[in-house]
Amino acid sequence: MDKIGAKPKAGFDRVAAKPPVLKEEEIYGIMPEEITKQYDVLDIIKRLVDDSAFDEYKPAYGKTIVCGLGRIDGWSVGIVANQRKVVKNKKGELQIGGVIYNDSADKAARFIMNCNQKKIPLLFLQDVTGFMVGSKSEHAGIIKDGAKLVNAVANSVVPKFTVIIGNSFGAGNYAMCGKAYDPRLIVAWPNAKIAVMGGAQAGKVLLQIQVASLKAKGEVITAEKEKELLDHILNHYNETMDPYYAAARLWVDSIIDPLDTRKWVSMGIEMANNNDEMKAFNPGVIQV
Amino acid sequence: MDITFNKNEDALKLLVATMKQRLAKVAEGGGKKSIDKLHEKGKLHARERIKLLFDQDKPCIEIGAFTGFNMYQEHGGCPSGGVVVKIGYVAGRQCIVVANDATVKAGAWFPITGKKNLRAQEIAIENKLPIIYLVDSAGVFLPLQDEIFPDKEHFGRIFRNNAIMSSMGITQIAAIMGSCVAGGAYLPIMSDEAYIVKNTGSIFLSRSIFSKSCYW
């Protein structure tokens, strides 16, 4: 192995590494025990990046996704992270944390294109419950704006890395570079949940389907029976949302201690740096 | 002190501790007894082999440690998918190692083993990363052959990738460390370089009881 000749590198930028100034161990206390609770993802990012230095992109716009540049173990990296605290837009309207809105999808798509232009690897920190629904966002073109983000992620030529730090639900999984979007490495923290939608939401729908099918067969469904059915559905659903269920099937490469995140990203970028062949960035038709 | 912070901290630390316990269990492969048997034969376990191969002073990460977790219970389980995959450094060079675990059904390939082998090769291809195979495999797990043999992303793809990677100039080195049968024989021979361990390594397409009636 030591006699193999050197090959050209991709040339991702790296300087001398510095540990984060803020304590990494505090991540344990910042991540809420209950997945429905809020937290500020900047508190997580600043405990993952060198020197806790993070240069945020458009901090006052599209606040439910935080984008910006930092370094991990010296490697330059563009971070795209879901913001889980409730935020307000310029008009003073509340936006729910972990949800992708029109403005945040637009911002993230633009940031990802900038990173491609500047040859900066991307790191996605997923804690996402999906895209905003409702007539207001539908009329504002949420599908079209989401499509722009999915397009930018899918067509990215710089290496992508994904860490599922909380929820990974619905099309949010896709837009935030889920397994289907070719992340070079994808890992989950042990508190992660991966599914098409949250358990409570899915439980109701699945219950309706089962009750309707049983009633069609002439069965009488009492309130007790309904509760029994729901419990059974939720047990099974929660089992399939578990990160071990995902890891068993290689939907993620590993379940990691949050304190190993920097190591995984650093070794990942070092590995990606071996491949000097990068296609020209061409996002195709952007859904404006 | 902030009570919520402490509560969160306890909860996540507990999840991490559970993860580490499960990892330790998975690392035993087919069980301590099976590892002892390997040792008696003068062989090492897949994880011990990788540990000796890697530079001790450098970090390493494991791909798919939880592969097959709680799956195939009716067949006695398949810890880590019966194959250990790690990224680390050999003589200072970053590389990916794929080591069959002979304590899990003699290193036989379950459907998820195929997926994991393909994932390791995908990582090597996407990143032009040298790949080292420590082969010790009985080939396809026959009871599940219909789920792993003929489709595009089944076992044939592994040998196709061997050829593609060779053409791409990606270093592929195989060490034959046990009896490598059928599919287990193709992989090392499709690699650019193959080494065989004296006395313990053997390679063949089919045992004589099969050879009268079938061809590989």
Side-chain angles (χ1 to χ4, degrees), chain A residues 161-197:
Chain A
F161 300 90
T162 303
V163 184
I164 304 172
I165 66 171
N167 299 320
S168 178
F169 294 154
N173 166 297
Y174 302 161
M176 291 293 292
C177 198
K179 175 77 175 176
Y181 291 78
D182 292 327
R184 297 288 173 99
L185 294 172
I186 177 168
V187 292
W189 287 0
N191 54 311
K193 301 260 183 295
I194 304 159
V196 70
M197 59 177 88

Side-chain angles (χ1 to χ4, degrees), chain A residues 1-2 4 7 26 28-33 179 183-185 190-191 244 247-250 253-258 263-264 267 270-272 274-277, chain B residues 5 7-9 11-13 15-16 19-20 22 59-64 66-69 71 87 89-91 93-94 112 115-116 119 126-129 169:
Chain A
M1 285 291 286
D2 61 327
I4 301 173
K7 294 192 174 149
E26 286 170 356
Y28 291 135
I30 294 166
M31 277 313 281
E33 182 183 2
K179 175 77 175 176
R184 297 288 173 99
L185 294 172
N191 54 311
Y244 293 94
R249 287 153 185 81
L250 278 165
D253 288 316
S254 193
I255 299 170
I256 65 165
D257 182 341
K263 177 170 92 168
W264 274 78
M267 281 187 71
E270 182 182 348
M271 162 180 106
N274 278 317
N275 190 349
D276 64 314
E277 281 175 39
Chain B
F5 185 96
K7 247 185 96 198
N8 291 342
E9 190 176 33
L12 189 46
K13 279 188 171 171
L15 289 175
V16 170
M19 187 264 289
K20 288 183 176 165
R22 289 178 172 180
C60 78
I61 52 179
E62 179 165 357
I63 302 294
F66 292 108
T67 307
F69 189 81
M71 290 167 72
I87 299 170
Y89 301 80
V90 174
R93 307 298 182 96
Q94 199 183 28
I112 203 71
K115 194 170 179 184
K116 189 166 172 180
R119 174 68 183 135
E126 283 182 340
N127 304 290
K128 292 194 178 171
L129 198 62

Side-chain angles (χ1 to χ4, degrees), chain A residues 36 169 197-206 230 234 237-238 241:
Chain A
T36 48
F169 294 154
M197 59 177 88
Q201 212 182 343
K204 276 185 209 155
V205 181
L206 292 168
L230 183 63
L234 284 181
Y237 198 85
N238 289 337
M241 271 198 328

